[in-house]
Amino acid sequence: QVQLVESGGGLVQAGGSLRLSCAASGRTFSTYAMGWLRQAPGKEREFVAALIWYDGSTLYADSVKGRFSISRDNAKSTVYLQMNSLKPEDTAVYYCAATHSRGLRVAASYDYWGQGTQVTVSS
């Protein structure tokens, strides 16, 4: 079992920054990767970023590349999403997730999910 708890969401103006945190507990060592995914009202849940545990390699959705970065703190078993140059279209509920799968860009590939944290970007 893996438990994930997100924090750090909130309201920010366009162009601003937020840092999301995901604290993981349980059998996190058994997963392949951690990801951040988001869902806006009326839209499908979409991939944002992922980090592979064994080597720390990362990948990003094209829409956030160059603006967002995912990182980890192994000692704290925590994954972060630094979000810079935020745009109104980034507004969504952001979820931390863990997966055993290599299909990191597919939301259905993730096996464990946090509760989500709201990010709202105003114009």
Side-chain angles (χ1 to χ4, degrees), residues 46-84:
E46 67 175 358
F47 168 79
V48 176
L51 181 150
I52 299 171
W53 280 119
Y54 89 95
D55 65 355
S57 60
T58 60
L59 69 156
Y60 299 92
D62 288 343
S63 60
V64 306
K65 197 171 298 180
R67 299 189 297 121
F68 292 9
S69 63
I70 186 171
S71 61
R72 66 179 176 180
D73 183 334
N74 289 340
K76 297 180 179 179
S77 191
T78 300
V79 176
Y80 305 95
L81 184 69
Q82 179 66 46
M83 305 186 293
N84 299 322

Side-chain angles (χ1 to χ4, degrees), residues 1 13-14 29-31 46 59 62 64 69 75-76 79 85-86 89 92 95 99 101 114:
Q1 183 77 319
Q13 293 182 336
F29 59 88
S30 70
T31 65
E46 67 175 358
L59 69 156
D62 288 343
V64 306
S69 63
K76 297 180 179 179
V79 176
S85 301
L86 282 162
E89 52 262 45
Y95 297 90
T99 182
S101 173

Side-chain angles (χ1 to χ4, degrees), residues 3-21:
Q3 295 82 42
L4 305 171
V5 179
E6 304 101 327
S7 61
L11 175 64
V12 65
Q13 293 182 336
S17 298
L18 283 173
R19 190 193 196 199
L20 306 183
S21 298

